[in-house]
């Protein structure tokens, strides 16, 4: 058992982590399989190492197959009761969880930042995103609308309604260790489903924290514990979920490679998927773009979360007439970036998640230069005091061509490719769309015609298209997701809730006769 006082981290971090763990009631960390507040122990463990300093924060046990079976059985039994609760009552449970998140925002944000490596401001922002989706879900619980339709038959009424699917499997990635789960779970819960969460094995403690907070709400309201469960482990644990016909919907966030496997397996059993996969996001910078907007939008999009957002800016497509001015401004801004401990608010960029990410960064830079890219801001793995984890890399900028194989590939690291276009906006849009991925996109322009064309059917082919803001930082009010190899899934706002429910069409005959549709005669 690991307690906060025993964690092998630095003195300042130990004090902060101890306070955070006490507030989150996380003195007992070492279990990775939970049914509500009931822990299921095993012998195998996963260690969570912080990329901030390389120290071990703690270990959690991994789920066994028998424990997984117990989770599914308990979740199924819980669903039988949860689905009967009126949707506004389910919304009340989510509201209570949102209030608990408000009370624990600082502590949970600290844990997110320390375990994953994003800046403390981004960690706090991620918890705020959880709070926001709770608020959205509470309102949604009174707006799960169907439609009424006029029947072609006399004395008949038609309408449609929505019912919960049942057990929802959520597979999340390390880069947003708590927010993406909440996007799915809070919406799924108000829709009447129960959730089984397989978090990334690179950030398991964040999942334990969220589960223990939610279990307080379950306990206080005398609800079945199986409403919310977590399982922990490698890809094998995820495969149990994806292969399980008892799980009608799998929502998976990760690489395109992973998503293709999940989609194939779940599709083979005719299950449903929400896939949020890779992004290769671009900002088009036109001659009328305002540099005061361009620079912060492009730089934060490229280096925020150390380039490890699915919406991170990977490409800048700049018109030749403003190319030199924009490139010089961006390069100057990169020279002012402070790289270091993300818990210190003065730093802009923290570490990448682990050594595998470092190697991916180095490989991509080498491939780009081999394919003819020109280095504008050099790459580097930082070492020395403050960089002991070996996970700190310098955000780099490469002048490239969109047809280069490496530019067509998403690299989860702070690498920005600069591309030049000439002619009108249609040429820039063609370059932007000419990648396999289709998540987020943006244009910087003060030309109304360019902006409207970018948003039109002839414009961006991405699920997200922005004008005069960057590619990252989506709000929960809109549906989040992308097209092409991004997977086509939608989470969070708008009517994304429909993916977590099944539609049912109902026809009621309140007359004394039985007329058939389409005027068919069937006399006995």
């Amino acid at each position: 058992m690991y307690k906060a006082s025993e964690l092998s981290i630095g003195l300042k971090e130990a004090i902060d982590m101890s306070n955070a763990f006490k507030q989150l009631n996380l003195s007992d960390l070492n279990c990775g399989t939970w049914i509500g507040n009931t822990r299921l122990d095993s012998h195998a463990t996963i260690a969570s190492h912080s990329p901030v300093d390389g120290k071990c924060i703690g270990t959690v046990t991994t789920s066994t197959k028998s424990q997984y079976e117990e989770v599914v059985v308990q979740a199924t039994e819980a669903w039988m009761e949860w689905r009967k609760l009126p949707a506004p009552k389910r919304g009340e449970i989510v509201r209570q969880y949102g209030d608990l998140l408000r009370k624990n925002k600082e502590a949970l944000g600290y844990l997110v930042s320390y375990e994953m490596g994003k800046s403390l401001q981004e960690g706090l922002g991620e918890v705020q995103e959880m709070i926001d989706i709770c608020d959205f879900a509470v309102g949604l619980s009174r707006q799960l609308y169907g439609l009424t339709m006029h029947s072609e038959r006399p004395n008949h009424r038609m309408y449609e309604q929505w019912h919960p699917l049942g057990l929802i499997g959520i597979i999340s990635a390390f880069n947003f260790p708590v927010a993406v789960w909440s996007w799915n779970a809070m919406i799924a819960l108000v829709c009447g489903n129960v959730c089984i969460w397989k978090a990334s094995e690179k950030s398991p403690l964040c999942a334990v924290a969220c589960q223990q907070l939610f279990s307080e709400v379950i306990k206080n309201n005398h609800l079945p514990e199986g409403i919310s469960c977590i399982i922990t482990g490698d890809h094998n644990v995820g495969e149990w979920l994806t292969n399980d016909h008892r799980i009608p919907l799998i929502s998976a966030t990760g690489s395109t490679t992973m998503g293709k496997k999940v989609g194939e397996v779940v599709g083979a059993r005719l299950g449903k998927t929400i896939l949020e996969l890779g992004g290769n996001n671009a900002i088009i910078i036109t001659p009328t773009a305002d540099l005061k907007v361009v620079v912060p939008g492009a730089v934060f999009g490229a280096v925020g979360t150390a380039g490890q957002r699915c919406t991170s800016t990977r490409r800048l497509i700049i018109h030749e007439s403003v190319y030199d001015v924009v490139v010089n401004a961006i390069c100057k801004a990169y020279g002012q970036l402070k790289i270091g401990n993300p818990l210190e608010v003065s730093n802009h960029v923290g570490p990448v998640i682990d050594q595998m990410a470092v190697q991916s960064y180095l490989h991509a830079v080498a491939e780009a230069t081999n394919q003819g890219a020109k280095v504008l801001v050099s790459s580097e793995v930082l070492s020395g005091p403050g960089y002991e984890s070996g996970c700190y890399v310098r955000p780099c900028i490469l002048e490239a061509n969109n047809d280069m194989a490496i530019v067509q590939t998403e690299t989860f690291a702070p690498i920005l490719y600069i591309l030049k276009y000439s002619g009108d906006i249609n040429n820039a849009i063609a370059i932007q769309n000419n990648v396999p991925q289709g998540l987020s996109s943006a244009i910087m322009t003060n030309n109304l015609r360019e902006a409207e064309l970018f948003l039109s059917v002839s414009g961006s082919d991405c699920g997200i298209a922005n004008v005069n803001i960057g590619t990252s930082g989506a709000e929960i009010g809109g549906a989040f997701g992308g097209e092409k190899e991004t997977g086509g899934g939608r989470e969070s706002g708008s009517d994304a809730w429909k993916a977590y429910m099944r539609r049912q069409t109902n026809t009621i005959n309140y007359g004394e006769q039985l007329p058939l549709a389409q005027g068919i005669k069937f006399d006995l």
Side-chain angles (χ1 to χ4, degrees):
M1 180 184 300
Y2 285 76
K3 297 181 179 179
S5 59
E6 299 170 345
L7 299 177
S8 56
I9 56 181
L11 177 59
K12 179 182 182 299
E13 286 81 3
I15 294 171
D16 290 339
M17 288 297 286
S18 178
N19 291 335
F21 285 7
K22 286 177 181 177
Q23 183 171 338
L24 292 169
N25 193 25
L26 282 176
S27 58
D28 185 7
L29 291 170
N30 66 330
C31 182
T33 310
W34 295 83
I35 302 172
N37 198 38
T38 299
R39 52 182 294 156
L40 305 179
D41 287 309
S42 66
H43 297 295
T45 61
I46 290 176
S48 176
H49 290 86
S50 171
V52 174
D53 54 18
K55 304 294 179 62
C56 180
I57 310 174
T59 60
V60 297
T61 56
T62 58
S63 304
T64 65
K65 188 61 185 297
S66 63
Q67 288 174 342
Y68 170 78
E69 289 296 326
E70 185 173 350
V71 164
V72 173
V73 168
Q74 292 295 319
T76 302
E77 291 181 2
W79 179 59
M80 298 297 182
E81 297 301 317
W82 179 249
R83 65 181 179 175
K84 298 176 184 177
L85 204 64
K89 298 296 185 183
R90 299 193 295 256
E92 166 60 17
I93 301 305
V94 171
R95 185 197 65 77
Q96 292 179 30
Y97 186 57
D99 286 348
L100 200 55
L101 289 172
R102 286 179 171 87
K103 295 177 183 177
N104 292 275
K105 177 179 176 179
E106 184 175 357
L108 184 55
Y110 190 99
L111 176 61
V112 168
S113 179
Y114 189 69
E115 186 173 33
M116 184 268 149
K118 63 176 58 179
S119 74
L120 182 55
Q121 283 300 307
E122 291 183 78
L124 294 170
E126 186 168 346
V127 181
Q128 184 61 49
E129 200 164 356
M130 299 177 74
I131 295 167
D132 293 344
I133 199 66
C134 285
D135 289 349
F136 181 89
V138 172
L140 179 64
S141 69
R142 295 181 182 270
Q143 300 178 77
L144 301 175
Y145 300 135
L147 298 173
T148 60
M149 292 80 75
H150 290 284
S151 174
E152 67 184 57
R153 289 170 282 185
N155 300 322
H156 281 59
R157 180 168 68 88
M158 294 179 64
Y159 70 97
E160 68 177 25
Q161 58 181 333
W162 296 82
H163 294 302
L165 290 171
L167 279 61
I168 307 301
I170 303 170
I171 301 173
S172 63
F174 74 87
N175 59 331
F176 280 86
V178 297
V180 171
W181 165 75
S182 69
W183 286 2
N184 287 275
M186 298 307 108
I187 303 298
L189 287 167
V190 298
C191 288
N193 304 291
V194 299
C195 300
I196 301 174
W197 180 18
K198 189 238 176 262
S200 170
E201 58 268 39
K202 297 180 181 182
S203 52
L205 300 185
C206 287
V208 174
C210 292
Q211 175 70 14
Q212 292 198 10
L213 287 174
F214 195 82
S215 68
E216 288 186 35
V217 179
I218 293 176
K219 182 178 179 180
N220 292 339
N221 288 273
H222 309 289
L223 293 168
E225 289 193 308
I227 290 170
S228 177
C229 306
I230 61 172
I231 53 177
T232 300
D234 60 14
H235 66 92
N236 293 307
V237 177
E239 289 174 1
W240 298 340
L241 271 178
T242 57
N243 282 284
D244 196 334
H245 68 276
R246 295 167 295 181
I247 316 294
L249 172 66
I250 300 292
S251 179
T253 303
S255 68
T256 296
T257 300
M258 180 275 287
K260 287 181 177 179
K261 293 178 181 177
V262 171
E264 181 179 0
V265 171
V266 179
R269 60 177 176 85
L270 298 182
K272 301 175 184 294
T273 56
I274 299 173
L275 300 177
E276 297 291 354
L277 311 176
N280 196 344
N281 317 294
I283 299 177
I284 295 172
I285 301 172
T286 72
T288 65
D290 186 343
L291 270 183
K292 296 192 298 297
V293 176
V294 167
V295 173
V299 174
F300 176 75
V303 308
T305 322
Q308 297 172 118
R309 294 184 177 215
C310 52
T311 55
S312 289
T313 304
R314 310 289 178 199
R315 299 173 294 147
L316 290 187
I317 305 169
I318 309 171
H319 192 268
E320 60 182 358
S321 66
V322 293
Y323 185 84
D324 291 339
V325 172
V326 172
V327 170
N328 288 338
I330 297 291
C331 290
K332 180 179 178 181
Y334 266 56
Q336 299 170 346
L337 291 175
K338 296 179 180 178
I339 307 166
N341 189 327
L343 302 175
E344 296 180 8
V345 295
S346 61
N347 289 327
H348 301 102
V349 184
V352 293
I353 187 65
D354 55 20
Q355 284 299 312
M356 185 180 299
V358 173
Q359 294 306 312
S360 177
Y361 161 86
L362 293 173
H363 172 76
V365 172
E367 283 295 307
T369 54
N370 288 339
Q371 293 169 25
K374 177 183 176 182
V375 176
L376 301 181
V377 174
S378 61
S379 60
E380 181 185 4
V381 179
L382 303 177
S383 59
Y387 304 127
E388 288 84 0
S389 70
C391 294
Y392 291 87
V393 301
R394 188 175 302 282
C396 65
I397 301 177
L398 302 170
E399 188 177 57
N401 185 295
N402 199 62
D403 293 331
M404 293 177 178
I406 192 63
V407 178
Q408 293 281 314
T409 305
E410 179 190 43
T411 302
F412 237 45
I415 301 172
L416 179 64
Y417 300 110
I418 302 288
L419 314 170
K420 182 187 293 186
Y421 82 96
S422 58
D424 66 17
I425 190 62
N426 290 291
N427 294 332
I429 292 172
I431 294 171
Q432 180 208 273
N433 291 346
N434 187 26
V435 291
Q437 310 84 359
L439 179 52
S440 187
S441 59
I443 186 171
M444 300 291 187
T445 182
N446 284 329
N447 184 311
L448 179 61
R449 289 178 175 174
E450 289 181 333
E452 290 294 337
L453 179 63
F454 180 73
L455 301 178
S456 75
V457 68
S458 302
S460 170
D461 65 0
C462 296
I464 299 170
N466 300 325
V467 176
N468 290 332
I469 62 172
T471 59
S472 62
E475 299 179 25
I476 59 91
F480 180 88
E483 302 301 323
K484 300 189 295 188
E485 288 193 358
T486 302
R490 292 297 185 274
E491 297 169 328
S492 190
S494 186
D495 65 348
W497 61 271
K498 293 180 179 179
Y500 303 90
M501 306 193 81
R502 59 182 177 89
R503 187 195 311 248
Q504 184 182 79
T505 301
N506 309 112
T507 306
I508 301 171
N509 177 6
Y510 58 89
E512 297 179 354
Q513 305 297 321
L514 183 61
L516 300 178
Q518 292 85 48
I520 295 174
K521 300 297 182 181
F522 186 74
D523 296 325
L524 293 176

